[in-house]
Amino acid sequence: MRTREPDAAGRVVVCRSDELGDGDRLLFRVGRRQIGLFRSGGRFFALHGTCPHAGGALCEGPLTGTALPTDSYTYDYGEDGQVLRCAWHGWEFDITTGRSLVDPLMRARTYPVHVVDGAVVVELRRRA
């Protein structure tokens, strides 16, 4: 796992944008904090590595989709590559918002991500 140091404004350059393909992740540390960087649908998302449910290894779990609500008795699969499932207990979180799919009041911490001159930059002091 890579260790990164933030600049004075709380920004961390994590990698080059071409280092992560769609569906890939990169785990890194800033001090004692573990963060997961994900690429999905061509966009980058960063989440705190600890699951708010029970402190599990959130960012080490699979990145999947989920069954969507329907008006009929069918299962429609959607949000592929946007649902992160905690490695410990299987709690699912939307990587775009950090919200739990089970309890929308529970959230994983998210961080804003920008691509600047081909470098992926995560802002630690602001929430996404």
Side-chain angles (χ1 to χ4, degrees), residues 28-96:
F28 64 98
R29 287 195 175 281
V30 177
R32 295 176 47 190
R33 189 177 354 187
Q34 181 180 336
I35 298 172
L37 176 69
F38 299 87
R39 186 170 193 169
S40 178
R43 296 174 54 205
F44 291 95
F45 304 94
L47 284 89
H48 189 72
T50 303
C51 181
H53 161 244
L58 176 61
C59 291
E60 294 178 22
L63 190 60
T64 65
T66 190
L68 301 173
T70 65
D71 292 333
S72 62
Y73 296 103
T74 62
Y75 290 101
D76 289 340
Y77 184 78
E79 298 182 18
D80 193 33
Q82 293 184 7
V83 177
L84 181 60
R85 188 175 305 133
C86 179
W88 282 15
H89 299 114
W91 277 53
E92 295 177 321
F93 295 85
D94 182 333
I95 65 168
T96 66

Side-chain angles (χ1 to χ4, degrees), residues 95-113:
I95 65 168
T96 66
T97 64
R99 286 203 168 103
S100 165
L101 299 188
V102 174
D103 180 358
L105 297 177
M106 183 176 288
R107 296 180 71 135
R109 180 166 183 176
T110 58
Y111 302 94
V113 182

Side-chain angles (χ1 to χ4, degrees), residues 14-21 39 44 114-120:
V14 180
C15 63
R16 303 282 313 156
S17 62
D18 58 4
E19 287 183 54
L20 288 181
R39 186 170 193 169
F44 291 95
H114 308 284
V115 177
V116 180
D117 295 328
V120 180

